[in-house]
Amino acid sequence: MTAKQEEPTGLEIAIVGMAGRFPGADSVERFWDNVLSGDEQISSFTADDAVAAGVAPEQARRPDYRHVHGVLDGIEYFDNVMFGYTPRDAALLDPQQRVFLECAWAAMEDAGYAPRAERAPVGVYAGASQNAYLLNHLLRSPGALANTSPQELLLATEKDLLASRVSYHLDLRGPSVSVQSSCSSSLVSVHMACQALLAGECELALAGGVTIHVPQKEGYQYTVGSVFSSSGRCLPFDAEADGTVFGNGVGVVVLKPLADALADHDTIHAVILGSAVNNDGARRAGFTAPAVDGQVAVIRAAHRVAGVDPRTITYVETHGTGTSLGDPIEFEALAEAFGTDGAPCTLGTLKAQIGHLASAAGVAGLIKTVLALKHRVLPPSRHFTRPNPEIDLDSGRFRLLTEATSWPEHGRRLAAVSSFGIGGTNAHMVLEEPPPPSPHSPGRREHEVLPLSAREDEALLELAARLREHLATHPEAELRDVAATLQSGRTPQRRRATVACTDIDSAIAALAAVRSPTADARDRGVVFMFPGQGAQRVGMGRGLYETEETFRTWIDAADELLDFDLRGLLYAGDPAENGQTLARTGYTQPALFAVEHALARLWMELGLVPRAMIGHSLGEYVAATIAGCFDFTTALDLVAVRARLMQDQPPGAMLAVALPVAEVLPVLGAETVVAAVNGPALCVVSGPVPAVEVLEKRLRADGATCRRLRTSHAFHSPMMEAVAAPFAARLREATRRPPTIPFVSNLTGDWIRPEEAVDPEYWVRHLLAPVRFHEGVGRLLSGPASVLLEVGPGAALRALVGRAGDDHAVLGGLPEADDGAYLARTVGRLWEAGVSVDWSRWRRGTWSRIPLPTYPFRRRRHWVEPVPGSGLGLAVTAEETHDAQDARPVSGAERADATRSVAGLSETVLSIWRELLGIDDVGLDDDFFELGGHSLLATRIIARVADMTGVELPGDALHSAPTPRGLAALAERRDSLPVVGDGPDPELMAQLIAEIAEMSPEEVEDRLRGKP
C-alpha cells in the first residue's frame, strides 16, 4: 500500500508561507504551541464586561446568557502609516480587512516574497464574515460618519473588497476574488487559489479568511436546540457536546505549484495533493442543516483528484462544530468515505480550543494540519472524554487523542481537512508532508549582508531584535539563506540598516549593535569617483584578488599587458622594497589604473552601473575607459606611456595648502603654479622642489596649514611640458570614442563634451592644466540624488567632497586593511543610502527562502466606540443633518468672514483638512496624498472649501495644489479670473494651477499676501 501515486501528477500545490492570528495566539508559532498544549483559548468574562461592551444589562445578566467568546487581541490597532491610511479612514475601515491586510503582508514575507516587489502574477482569494463593526460601532456612534460620503463608507466596509484591497496595497497582479460561502469560505478560497495556479492564471497565490465579530465580549443567549453550546464549551464528538462557541481569527497561506517551489528552493511546509468543493443542494433537513451525501461526495472527489487511497490518510482535521446534529452526520460521512479498514486515523477538533471562527475556520484547520505534518505530531483533543453515543469509535479506524503523539509513518504521512458551510457548500482537501529540501550547491560569499528596513526607527530596531532572537534559537540556519531571504523577500522601506557577517554567531553579535540610521534612504544613483596618484599602496585589492573572479580577471589582464610584474609588485615579495618601487610614477600610475579599473568592473558586475563619474587627474582615464572612450588595452597603454614620460622629467614637489585659491595665487613664485583646486579652502601647488620649499616656509610662517604630497614630480605644471609632444603623438594613434556614460572633466569642472573626449589635445592639456576637482564635484552635487562612491584605495576623495548635503552621500574606497568585508560593508551602505542593489548578482551558489521574523507593524489605535443607547437611526440622522449643513448656501457676509484675511483663508482650508483627514497636526505645507488622502476625500475637501468660502475649485485642484497653502492660494485667485460660461476662463484656470504647482511655499505665501 503506497501513500500516493509514485509519480507526481503535476497537480500538487505547495504551501510555502503562512500567517495568522487566533484566540490566544498572535502568530502561527504561538498557535502551534497552544495546539500542542491542548489548552482551551476561549475567553470567559463577566456580565459587567458584556454590559460595558454594549449588551443590554437585562440580557447580560440572564441566567441563560453565556459570557464566552474566542477573543482576538489588538483588533483596535492598525499600522495605518504602512498602508497609507489617514487616522480617520483607518477608524472607518472594517477591522477584518485591517487585520487580514497585515496578515497577508506577513504571509508573503514568511514565504520569502516581497510585497509590492513581486513582478510575477500573484492571486488573492479570501473570505470575510459580516461587518459587525459597521452595525455595532459605526452606525451606533453619532457623528462617526459625519464627514463620510456614501462611497467612502462603502469602500471602508464592503467585504466584497477584501481581496482587492490586499492586491492593491501589496501590488499583486493576479486574480483577486472575495469568496463567500459562510463557514467554508476560507477553505473554498484555498481550493479556488489552487485551481487558479493549475490553470496558469497566477504563479503564486494568497488564500484565507477572517472573522472578527464585535463587540468581542458580547457572548450569547443559550436556547435549547440552537447551534450554541449550553455549557459555553465546544466539545466535538463528545457525549457532552450540544453546540458550538464562536471566536475571532484570521489565517492566510501562500501557495505555489510544487514543481516551481522545488525549483526555486522555497521552504515547503506541506503539499496539497487535491481538493474538491460541492453543495448539499436540497437533500437535507433545512437550509442550515448538513447532509451526509454531500459530505461523502466532496470527500471522495478530493481523494480522486489527489490520487490517494483514503485508507492511507492518518489524520483528518474535522469541521467538528460540537453540535448534536452536525457531529453524527460528519462522522457518518467520514466513515463512509474513508472506509473502516486501513491505518488508524486521528480526528482533529480545533474548535474545541479556539471556537468556531466562521469564515476563518477552514484555513485555521488547514494551518493546524500543515503544522502537524511539518512537525510530525498528531495533535490532541484534550477535552474529549467519551464519544457521542451516536458515534461508533470502537469498530472503525477513527480515534481521538487526548495527548500529543508522534505521528507514525505509513509510507508518506497524509492528512485531510474538512470545512462545511451553512448553506451547504462543502470543501475537503488532502495534504502530504513536505518533501526533503533540495541540497545547496557549493559556494557562498565569506561575508554576507543582512538588510533590514522599516518605516520607523522603532520598527527597525524591533526587527533587528526579533531576527537576533530567531537566529539564537535557530543556530542551524544557513547564513546564505538568511541573507538571501532578507535581500529578496522584504520590501525596502525608508529607515534602513545592514549587517555584514561571516556566520550566525557574528550575525547575532552585529544585530545587537544595530542603531537608528541618521537619515532616510532616498532613491539614489551611483557616481564613481576615481582617485589619482598618491592613493596607491602595496597590497591594494589583495582580498578582492583572492576572492573575486571579476577583479582577478582584470588584474591578470593588466599584468599580461604591462612590461613589469604587476601581481608581484602588489601581492608578493617584500612590502618595503615593493613600496619603494610603487612610489615611482612609471609603476604607480599603471598599477593604480589597473586596480581602480578592476574594482569598477567588479562593481558593475555586481549590478552597480554608475549614472555619472569623476576622476582626479589619472582617475579621469579610468572614468573615460569605463565610459567607452578607450578600450582597456588602449587605455592601459596610454597610462603606461604617460607615466614613463612623466617619470623621465626632472624631480618636483607638490604641496597641499588649506587656503582658498584666491589667497594662494598672490603668494606664488615664478616657478610655482596651482595644480589642483580640491575644495573651497584647499588647493595644491606644484613646482621645483626648492621653489615649493620656499613657498611652504612662507605659508607656514603666515599660519597656513600645508602638507607635502607623496609624489616624485610636479604634476599639472610647466615641468610636464616636455611630455606633451610625444604623448600627443601616441594619442593620435589611439582609437577614441565619445563617452556612453557622462563624466566630469578635470579641465573644465563641467560635463565632458563628446568632441573633447575624442580630441588628443584635450588629454595633453589634461596633464598640464590644474585639476578643477572642486568645481566638478559641485556639478555632480547639483544633479539628481546620488551616492558618490570612491572606486580605488583609500578615502582621499571622500574627504575632499566632505558633507554632500541631504540629497547625496559619500563613501570611501578600499580600506588599508583591505579585508574581505569591504564589499559586503559597502554594498550594505549603498543600500542603506537608497541605491537599488541587484542582490541576485551579489549571491553565490543556490539558496533557499526560509521563514524569518516578519515586519513588526507599528500599530496605533483606530477605533470608533459605540455610544450607549444609540441606535442605527441616530447615526444616520446625524450624518444626514451634517450633510444638510454642508449643503446650505453660504451668505456673502459669512464668506467675507471666512476669507477676510489671508490668515483666515489659510486657516479655513487647514481646518477642513484636519477635520476630513482626521489628523490634528496638519501643517500648511503638508502634502495631501502623502498624508493618505485619496480621490474621494479630495472631492469632499473641494466641496467643503466651496461651502465655507463660496469659491468653487476644479475637481483635480488638489493634484496641482496638494498643500493647504497652495489650495488657499488657488482659492484666493480663483474669483479674479474672467468668467466664461458658468465658470472661470478654463485656459487661465489651467495656467493658474500650473503656476501654483511650481511655486515654493514662500512664493505661495507672498502671493497670498498680495506681493508681486
Side-chain angles (χ1 to χ4, degrees), residues 204-366:
L204 197 71
L206 281 74
V210 58
T211 290
I212 296 178
H213 177 83
V214 289
Q216 293 203 89
K217 294 183 178 181
E218 187 176 33
Y220 60 88
Q221 182 177 333
Y222 171 70
T223 303
V224 176
S226 73
V227 72
F228 293 110
S229 166
S230 64
S231 64
R233 301 183 72 189
C234 180
L235 302 170
F237 307 111
D238 193 274
E240 301 297 322
D242 67 349
T244 197
V245 176
F246 284 85
N248 291 338
V250 56
V252 184
V253 293
V254 182
L255 309 172
K256 189 174 183 179
L258 177 61
D260 295 343
L262 289 170
D264 294 339
H265 295 271
D266 294 319
T267 292
I268 299 172
H269 301 286
V271 178
I272 298 174
L273 298 179
S275 60
V277 170
N278 72 358
N279 193 279
D280 292 325
R283 297 183 180 183
R284 47 190 162 137
F287 180 69
T288 62
V292 172
D293 290 348
Q295 293 182 19
V296 170
V298 78
I299 293 171
R300 286 177 172 170
H303 293 170
R304 286 194 301 271
V305 173
V308 300
D309 184 336
R311 293 173 298 175
T312 62
I313 297 174
T314 52
Y315 178 80
V316 177
E317 180 60 40
T318 64
H319 186 60
T321 57
T323 60
S324 55
L325 174 65
D327 282 359
I329 288 176
E330 181 173 8
F331 188 86
E332 181 182 348
L334 286 170
E336 184 174 342
F338 277 77
T340 56
D341 62 333
C345 185
T346 299
L347 301 182
T349 56
L350 180 60
K351 292 179 180 64
Q353 284 187 277
I354 65 174
H356 189 347
L357 303 192
S359 291
V363 74
L366 175 65

